[in-house]
Amino acid sequence: MAKVPEIFGSMVFNDQKMQERLPKSTYKALKKTIQNGEPLDLSVANVVAAAMKDWAVEMGCTHYTHWFQPMTGITAEKHDSFIAPNGEGQVIMEFSGKELVKGEPDASSFPSGGIRATFEARGYTTWDPTSYAFVKDGTLYIPTAFCSYTGEVLDKKTPLLRSMERINTEAVKILHLLGKDDVTRVTTTVGPEQEYFLIDKDAYDQREDLIYTGRTLFGAKAPKGQELDDHYFGAIKTRVAAYMKDLDEELWKLGILAKTKHNEVAPSQHELAPIFTTTNIATDHNELTMEVMKKVAERHGLVCLLHEKPFAGVNGSGKHNNWSISTNTGENLLDPGKTPENNLQFQLFLAAVVKAVHEYQDLLRITVASAGNDHRLGANEAPPAIISMYLGDDLGELVDSIINDREYVSKGKQKMRTGVDVLPDFMKDTSDRNRTSPFAFTGNKFEFRALGSSLNIACPNYMLNTMVAEELSEFYDELKDADDMDAAIKALVKKVFIEHQNIIFNGNNYAPEWVEEAERRGLLNLKSLPDAMEHFLDQKNIDLFVKNKICSADEIRARYEIELESYSKQINIEALTMIDMAKKNILPAVTSYVRDLTDTALAKKALSDAIPTSVEEDLITSLSNKLVCFSKKTAELEEAVIKASDYSDDNLKYAKYYRETVFALMQELRAVGDAMETETASEYWPYPSYGELLFGV
Ligand code: ADP
Ligand code: MG
């Protein structure tokens, strides 16, 4: 393998390549757009496009694609070749500024939430120059935003970019108020930790549930799960290590800062974390990472599962969204510094986050809601569905001292003494970690831990950016005319902490008492996507998005419809898959086992009455009873799925029906199926077992 610094970013049209390949004036103009968000001239775009194309063709590309993030939850691409006829029966390779800046995919088959009729097929993609173009599989990829002909936003990137502008504007205003005139730009940063499962491709290919839905719909527990805690951080198996090495290389080539890899809690579960970067790029990179993870797995005869809950009974997969705010002068605004008690700027930004999370806890919950993630939240493996914040001992004490006008006494950094001479002593962090909190302060950033593994992180981040921008803008209005700025900030911070301290919880979020305590505090406990979504259209939320120009009321409504509809569709697919598995494979398999048991018993009896047949008879009875129940439950589920159409004209009712009726029946059917699996000889069972799936690599 070539040295890492040599391959890093080799597939990316990054800053270095721009400097090498663009005339100085073009480079400067483009840089202004990237750094300050200034509009880009078509003449500049023409020069950039030509240079990009030359580089891409040298890299072996024949095509380019506008790469975008529609509301499907995955990325989309449509490839066009660079060829243009030269008039003499030959072709030349061409790429204009117009083609770089604007694309026109047919938008009619992407979800629009009823915002537009399908006959209005036109949609536009627009180049996002803040995220570098890259080469993948012989195509030049251009990151873009996606909207309809009439300008409605149809993607996840546009609201994110808008929210970044909003928080920039408001944070800069506040910093100028505090005398930080050298700050001209503020950006949010994100480092997403990505969990995933790796299983053997041959086993995967035999499971239609995994193929159609990404998770197992049947499957009795293996004798061993994760109870020994021997997988977490365990030595990485050879085949997995080879995969991870290959994956790192592919990601590095794409300029993705892949940093940490380790085994996770469940068998066959792993994690990859990059070094943090600007939120927009972190989002594009995370989408790309998930795609590359799947692709590289194929090369190793493996399948990478990104579903939130592929297996019952062991942990599911999430994503930790580490989020902070920093300035162009290199300052992290969520860094408390050595004396947070005197750091009014930090206190103000902390207060903005506390107030935002409290007031918009429903939005944070909504943004991580999905059919897959419903299996995790509140299931004692992931944070609960109740949103609260963990500040740790030190900051918790700071907030208490401010609320109660007490002097703040920092616990201070303490020396960790190992008691072994050859081991160096070191300073330990002032706060331990609280792994159970959905939104935890971790030193100089917040870690939002409720995300599902397959989620596009654009959504939680545009919510976070927007809600914090909103609080900062309110703070600005309150502070801007103050005579004594320090006194005004102190009073404001104190007021905010008093009014919003209910969102702060430093205890065990998995404890049943927390549910009651949270209720006393008036915090929401939205258990499923339909429960959460109901709040999306609350007036305060619509006001937030409209006032901050992130989305219009119609666009919010569209997003609401899309999320609910896709939830119902997903459960519908799962139900149909279960019915198929039940009728075509499980029922016939168990029946044939029972028939063979019966034949055996009859043969024994024919030979001699003295031969005991109680084993066969017991099994025949037990399985036959279960078959009756199984077949009945399958029929009930079939009927429930047919009935769903009664609710289809209201997406919320439709989703609730799927959750409360269809999903509930699926659980019942699964219980009977899994019980039969434990009694059926493995040679008869039509699917690879949990043991084979989870311990097969
Ligand atoms: P862990 O939480 O697993 O102990 P770390 O605390 O080292 O891991 O970091 C987790 C993630 O947080 C990494 O992706 C890291 O790059 C990211 N991170 C660190 N600092 C920031 C920051 N200022 N803004 C956003 N993400 C950050
Ligand atoms: Mg973490």
Side-chain angles (χ1 to χ4, degrees), residues 60 105 131 324 378 451 492 525 657:
S131 181
S324 194
L451 285 71
L492 175 63
N525 184 1
Y657 175 81

Coordinates of all heavy atoms in Angstrom, one line a residue, residues 60 105 131 324 378 451 492 525 657:
G60 N -9.5 8.6 -15.4 CA -10.2 7.5 -16.0 C -11.7 7.7 -16.1 O -12.4 6.7 -16.4
P105 N -32.6 16.6 -13.0 CA -33.1 15.2 -12.9 C -34.6 15.2 -12.9 O -35.2 16.2 -12.5 CB -32.6 14.7 -11.6 CG -32.4 15.9 -10.7 CD -32.1 17.0 -11.7
S131 N -18.6 21.6 -0.8 CA -18.2 20.2 -0.6 C -17.5 19.8 -1.8 O -18.0 19.9 -2.9 CB -19.5 19.4 -0.3 OG -19.2 18.1 -0.1
S324 N -20.2 20.6 17.7 CA -19.7 21.8 18.3 C -19.8 23.0 17.4 O -20.2 22.9 16.2 CB -18.3 21.6 18.8 OG -18.0 22.6 19.7
G378 N -35.2 3.7 24.1 CA -35.9 3.3 25.2 C -35.8 1.8 25.5 O -36.5 1.3 26.4
L451 N -29.3 9.0 17.5 CA -29.4 8.8 16.1 C -29.4 7.3 15.8 O -28.6 6.6 16.4 CB -28.3 9.5 15.3 CG -28.3 11.0 15.1 CD1 -28.1 11.7 16.4 CD2 -27.3 11.4 14.1
L492 N -29.0 37.2 32.2 CA -29.7 36.4 31.2 C -29.3 34.9 31.4 O -30.2 34.1 31.3 CB -29.2 36.9 29.8 CG -29.7 36.1 28.6 CD1 -31.2 36.1 28.5 CD2 -29.1 36.6 27.3
N525 N -42.2 12.1 26.4 CA -41.7 10.8 26.2 C -42.4 10.2 25.0 O -43.4 9.6 25.1 CB -42.0 10.0 27.5 CG -41.4 8.5 27.5 OD1 -40.8 8.2 26.5 ND2 -41.7 7.8 28.5
Y657 N -51.8 3.0 12.8 CA -52.4 1.7 12.6 C -51.3 0.7 12.3 O -51.3 -0.4 12.9 CB -53.4 1.7 11.4 CG -53.9 0.4 11.0 CD1 -55.0 -0.2 11.7 CD2 -53.3 -0.4 10.0 CE1 -55.4 -1.5 11.4 CE2 -53.8 -1.7 9.7 CZ -54.9 -2.2 10.4 OH -55.3 -3.4 10.1

